[in-house]
């Protein structure tokens, strides 16, 4: 899927009307649900423009901080953060989707709200540091994949001022390029560098992607990918296999392949 979503920004104030919790991020949800016919169907739930964030709280040494948003036809999402000495960290994420929303679930067999709770993967962050993660993060549980990107969050803000010190997620840290040793050929013939600009490649390069379950390969995909995005103006995006990271999971009855090209292009199969 190509995800289009509203950015969420929540600025929680304390009793003195100063910021105690700040969060800004983007997220989308892939949901696999059962239809009236007994089949299973995938759908995408994105944030809407009618979001609210009632229920968000500052937190303190004994109470968890909470950022909560509500959107669409009865959907909600929240994350709580706990403080421990000189650090804070994510605790649990709670997501509720409402299958009575016929625009998203037109033929759902089960009607009403469905709640999923997962462990937040955000590790300990120094107090007075902002956690930043531009890369995409995927959380999977109970037929739901939650996707987050462009995340900025600081819980237990000190003195009402958002810190300028950043703690980056590991995915934002570039890995060093591999060292390529020179060959030992006795003679080398260098061709002249062409002076003309090469024509852009029209067809995407074919990539080989695989997933492992333990030490066994459970999914193989050989595919060339090109996205044709028609929004304000047509835009062609070729996915470069050399820059693309494959992730995902294999289950007993389903498998998920997630491709991230490092340029905010996310593709999920």
């Amino acid at each position: 899927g190509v995800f289009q979503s509203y950015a969420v920004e929540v600025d929680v104030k304390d009793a003195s009307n100063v910021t105690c919790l700040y969060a800004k991020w983007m997220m989308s949800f892939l949901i696999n649900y059962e239809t009236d016919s007994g089949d299973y169907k995938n759908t995408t739930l994105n944030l809407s423009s009618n979001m609210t964030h009632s229920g968000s709280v500052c937190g303190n040494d004994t109470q968890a901080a909470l950022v909560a948003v509500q959107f669409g036809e009865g959907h909600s999402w929240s994350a709580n953060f706990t403080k421990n000495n000189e650090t804070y960290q994510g605790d649990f994420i709670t997501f509720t989707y409402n299958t009575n929303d016929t625009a998203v679930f037109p033929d759902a067999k089960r009607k009403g709200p469905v709640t999923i709770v997962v462990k937040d993967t955000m590790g300990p962050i120094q107090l007075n540091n902002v956690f930043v993660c531009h890369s995409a993060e995927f959380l999977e549980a109970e037929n739901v994949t939650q996707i987050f990107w462009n995340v900025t969050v600081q819980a237990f803000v000190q003195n009402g001022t958002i810190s300028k010190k950043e703690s980056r997620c590991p995915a934002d840290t570039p890995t060093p390029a591999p060292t390529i040793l020179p060959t030992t050929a006795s003679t080398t013939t260098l061709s002249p560098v062409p002076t003309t600009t090469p024509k852009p490649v029209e067809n995407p390069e074919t990539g080989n992607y695989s997933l492992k379950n333990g030490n066994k390969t459970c999914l193989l995909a050989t595919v060339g990918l090109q996205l044709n995005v028609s929004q304000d103006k047509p835009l062609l995006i070729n996915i470069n296999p050399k820059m693309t990271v494959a992730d995902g999971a294999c289950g007993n009855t389903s498998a998920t392949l997630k491709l991230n090209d490092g340029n905010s292009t996310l593709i999920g199969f």
Side-chain angles (χ1 to χ4, degrees):
V2 178
F3 311 114
Q4 299 185 23
S5 183
Y6 287 86
V8 190
E9 186 172 21
V10 178
D11 188 347
V12 184
K13 309 285 188 180
D14 63 12
S16 302
N17 200 33
V18 297
T19 298
C20 61
L21 171 61
Y22 177 82
K24 185 175 182 180
W25 74 101
M26 299 187 75
M27 64 181 174
S28 185
F29 307 92
L30 298 179
I31 303 171
N32 185 263
Y33 69 97
E34 187 178 6
T35 67
D36 291 327
S37 62
D39 297 328
Y40 281 82
K41 183 184 293 186
N42 290 316
T43 189
T44 301
L45 175 60
N46 292 317
L47 301 181
S48 55
S49 58
N50 65 340
M51 286 180 293
T52 59
H53 55 86
S54 61
S56 299
V57 296
C58 295
N60 51 43
D61 291 340
T62 59
Q63 180 185 14
L66 179 72
V67 56
V69 294
Q70 303 81 37
F71 59 98
E73 300 298 322
H75 314 296
S76 63
W77 182 93
S78 66
N80 67 325
F81 306 89
T82 52
K83 183 166 64 169
N84 183 17
N85 296 327
E86 298 301 318
T87 64
Y88 67 93
Q89 68 181 53
D91 194 4
F92 290 99
I93 291 175
T94 303
F95 170 53
T96 298
Y97 61 94
N98 187 1
T99 57
N100 286 324
D101 185 350
T102 55
V104 182
F105 308 96
D107 50 358
K109 180 177 181 179
R110 176 181 177 179
K111 302 296 185 182
V114 181
T115 298
I116 294 169
V117 179
V118 295
K119 185 76 174 66
D120 196 335
T121 59
M122 190 183 88
I125 305 298
Q126 288 293 318
L127 287 176
N128 205 33
N129 276 27
V130 175
F131 173 75
V132 177
C133 191
H134 296 305
S135 301
E137 179 185 6
F138 298 78
L139 293 180
E140 298 184 25
E142 300 181 38
N143 295 330
V144 175
T145 301
Q146 304 183 50
I147 306 126
F148 309 93
W149 68 101
N150 290 345
V151 175
T152 300
V153 61
Q154 183 178 0
F156 307 100
V157 176
Q158 300 178 0
N159 302 320
T161 303
I162 305 299
S163 176
K164 298 189 181 300
K165 298 178 181 179
E166 292 186 356
S167 293
R168 285 295 187 114
C169 64
D172 278 2
T173 304
T175 56
T179 301
I180 301 176
L181 299 177
T183 60
T184 58
S186 58
T187 60
T188 303
T189 302
L190 298 178
S191 301
V193 178
T195 56
T196 58
T197 303
K199 294 178 63 177
V201 178
E202 295 181 358
N203 293 324
E205 184 178 348
T206 300
N208 296 301
Y209 309 102
S210 64
L211 298 178
K212 287 186 177 295
N213 190 355
N215 59 358
K216 295 183 179 181
T217 299
C218 60
L219 187 149
L220 291 170
T222 300
V223 60
L225 292 170
Q226 183 183 80
L227 305 182
N228 187 337
V229 183
S230 300
Q231 196 165 349
D232 297 330
K233 59 181 180 180
L235 174 65
L236 288 179
I237 303 172
N238 279 353
I239 303 302
N240 184 353
K242 296 183 178 67
M243 305 295 294
T244 300
V245 177
D247 192 8
C250 298
N252 292 328
T253 60
S254 65
T256 302
L257 174 65
K258 299 171 292 190
L259 302 179
N260 184 349
D261 75 342
N263 292 315
S264 298
T265 303
L266 317 172
I267 306 175
F269 297 98

